[in-house]
Amino acid sequence: MSRPTVSLCMIVRDEERLIEACLRSVQDWVDEMIVVDTGSLDNTAQIARSMGASVLAYEWNNHFADARNYGLQHAKSDWILYLDADEELSPLGDFDLHKVLQETQASVLSLHLVNYIGETPNEDEAFHIAHPRFFRNHIGLKFKYAIHETLNIDDIFLDRDTTDILGTIPLKLFHRGYMEPITIQKNKFARNMTLLQQEASTPAATSNPWIEYHIASEYYRVHQYDKAFEYVNLSIVRFIQSGKMPPSMLYKLKYAILFNTGSIDGAWPGIEKAIALYPDYVDLHFYKGVICYLKGWYAAAIDVFRHCIESGDMTGQHLILRGTGSFHAYYYLGLCWEKLGNNLEAINAYEKAYELSPTYTIAGDALNRLKEIET
């Protein structure tokens, strides 16, 4: 059996600072690189061509899925890998990707997506999730939605068990697009909100409860928490009305908003209902622990944070903030032990947090403060 082929498909605009690193991360093993340029005014297209990519000009129509699907029409390979210019794939190393593609029965394969959120790339300051990026070509899979486009998996594999369709690949994909310097430079809030509001005004919006979630996320990123809370709750209601269980990340966003507004009483006891829906979601347990800590229920909080540590930072279907199952949980354990007057246990917890994440400075500061007290 011949080796399966792979087409890289991208859409870009004014990405001259990032596109070379993106293409370089995959160029040695993909069979073709298709770059759909939606109107770059810089050297993006020239850089892509110099690296062997086919660059296709496309007139931007405010619809990300349309642009991506234009690239898919030109892809000849057995498999599609889709990336953005602000992403880089980890090196394959000894991993035999083509063997996996040849042997898998799945039609869609997910990677470990690392969404950086800080000032500089740091895996400890990032959200982690398994995200579908490889899919079989020529079976009808394509993108839908004008923004936050997604594959039409449910439409193609209607009523089929997703365990037969989805698989994973142990490779990391690093995404810089929501680091603060880039979001400011590209004014992503204004761009995204314009497209989301356009999408919300279309007839198709009635069948897409994700729109309200994405609007909530945009408001959350610019600290407009009242509007974020309104829209995340609307998204939850719309999922329920459509007969679907609201995805776990909606509850994560809801309780993150409540924390940022100081609404601890509003978060309790509702967090218990969210955990009942997603008992394996470590971030929700972490939020419960923080609620217990803020309410002064230190012994209960310790039990919750220990549970988080036992669960660990697992990357899967849930959107995980790195550290909720490790260094963040240890740090809050330290805070609880301090409140209970056990500085020795607090020091041990802070040491563990700092050991797990040396860039986690608040744990280091707490550790130094307590050691000075103890000496």
Side-chain angles (χ1 to χ4, degrees):
M1 186 180 295
S2 61
R3 177 181 73 81
T5 53
V6 180
S7 295
L8 169 70
C9 291
M10 303 174 59
I11 59 173
V12 300
R13 184 173 185 175
D14 294 333
E15 296 286 5
E16 64 180 5
R17 295 187 304 110
L18 298 169
I19 192 168
E20 181 175 352
C22 176
L23 294 177
R24 197 174 300 284
S25 73
V26 301
Q27 68 178 158
D28 290 340
W29 52 265
V30 298
D31 297 277
E32 63 176 352
M33 298 188 294
I34 298 172
V35 175
V36 175
D37 190 285
T38 63
S40 293
L41 300 177
D42 63 5
N43 293 316
T44 298
Q46 296 91 315
I47 294 170
R49 288 192 187 97
S50 73
M51 299 186 69
S54 298
V55 179
L56 308 176
Y58 181 82
E59 185 175 350
W60 178 241
N61 65 344
N62 289 334
H63 201 290
F64 281 92
D66 286 353
R68 287 205 188 275
N69 290 333
Y70 182 70
L72 297 187
Q73 294 171 20
H74 294 80
K76 303 179 183 68
S77 298
D78 304 311
W79 285 83
I80 303 292
L81 164 66
Y82 79 94
L83 300 178
D84 290 326
D86 52 17
E87 296 175 331
E88 295 175 43
L89 199 64
S90 61
L92 295 188
D94 296 330
F95 179 69
D96 192 339
L97 173 65
H98 291 96
K99 181 180 179 182
V100 170
L101 295 179
Q102 190 169 60
E103 295 178 351
T104 185
Q105 299 300 309
S107 296
V108 181
L109 297 170
S110 293
L111 301 173
H112 175 166
L113 181 62
V114 180
N115 275 305
Y116 296 128
I117 56 175
E119 292 284 339
T120 57
N122 179 355
E123 286 193 48
D124 284 348
E125 196 171 356
F127 289 107
H128 298 246
I129 194 171
H131 200 269
R133 290 307 184 98
F134 280 94
F135 60 94
R136 293 185 189 273
N137 199 6
H138 312 303
I139 64 171
L141 284 167
K142 62 180 182 179
F143 294 92
K144 59 182 180 179
Y145 305 142
I147 185 172
H148 297 296
E149 65 281 11
T150 186
L151 287 170
N152 62 339
I153 296 173
D154 293 340
D155 302 330
I156 296 298
F157 301 103
L158 193 64
D159 298 327
R160 277 186 55 186
D161 187 346
T162 56
T163 57
D164 298 331
I165 302 162
L166 305 179
T168 58
I169 293 180
L171 295 174
K172 288 183 179 180
L173 180 61
F174 303 101
H175 179 226
R176 300 169 183 258
Y178 283 99
M179 293 173 63
E180 190 167 341
I182 293 177
T183 58
I184 293 173
Q185 175 208 348
K186 293 190 174 183
N187 195 11
K188 282 194 172 182
F189 173 77
R191 182 202 71 181
N192 290 356
M193 285 299 293
T194 297
L195 294 179
L196 284 166
Q197 288 165 355
Q198 289 176 0
E199 181 86 347
S201 66
T202 65
T206 58
S207 61
N208 180 17
W210 280 108
I211 294 175
E212 285 77 14
Y213 166 76
H214 292 308
I215 292 174
S217 295
E218 294 298 331
Y219 280 128
Y220 178 79
R221 271 192 285 269
V222 296
H223 313 302
Q224 295 187 35
Y225 297 123
D226 288 346
K227 289 183 177 179
F229 193 67
E230 174 189 347
Y231 276 96
V232 75
N233 281 322
L234 183 56
S235 182
I236 290 171
V237 169
R238 289 198 57 209
F239 269 102
I240 294 171
Q241 289 175 341
S242 65
K244 301 174 183 176
M245 187 160 81
S248 59
M249 62 180 65
L250 274 68
Y251 294 103
K252 176 183 176 65
L253 178 58
K254 176 177 180 175
Y255 289 99
I257 294 167
L258 289 170
F259 281 167
N260 278 280
T261 56
S263 302
I264 302 306
D265 289 334
W268 183 266
I271 189 68
E272 295 279 31
K273 296 179 181 178
I275 289 173
L277 292 175
Y278 294 102
D280 62 337
Y281 196 176
V282 66
D283 284 41
L284 294 181
H285 288 277
F286 178 78
Y287 287 163
K288 176 183 175 180
V290 175
I291 292 169
C292 291
Y293 168 75
L294 292 174
K295 283 184 167 291
W297 305 337
Y298 304 122
I302 287 171
D303 288 339
V304 177
F305 292 127
R306 283 174 170 167
H307 173 80
C308 292
I309 292 165
E310 290 172 3
S311 298
D313 289 323
M314 298 181 296
T315 301
Q317 63 172 325
H318 303 306
L319 183 67
I320 302 294
L321 176 65
R322 173 65 66 85
T324 54
S326 57
F327 56 89
H328 286 307
Y330 273 112
Y331 172 72
Y332 270 92
L333 270 181
L335 294 177
C336 291
W337 283 121
E338 273 200 81
K339 291 293 187 180
L340 293 173
N342 192 331
N343 285 356
L344 181 59
E345 286 288 357
I347 287 172
N348 289 337
Y350 292 143
E351 283 179 338
K352 191 63 176 178
Y354 196 53
E355 175 187 324
L356 289 169
S357 180
T359 62
Y360 192 45
T361 55
I362 60 171
D365 293 343
L367 179 61
N368 292 332
R369 172 178 52 78
L370 265 193
K371 282 186 173 179
E372 287 180 6
I373 293 174
E374 290 300 296
T375 56

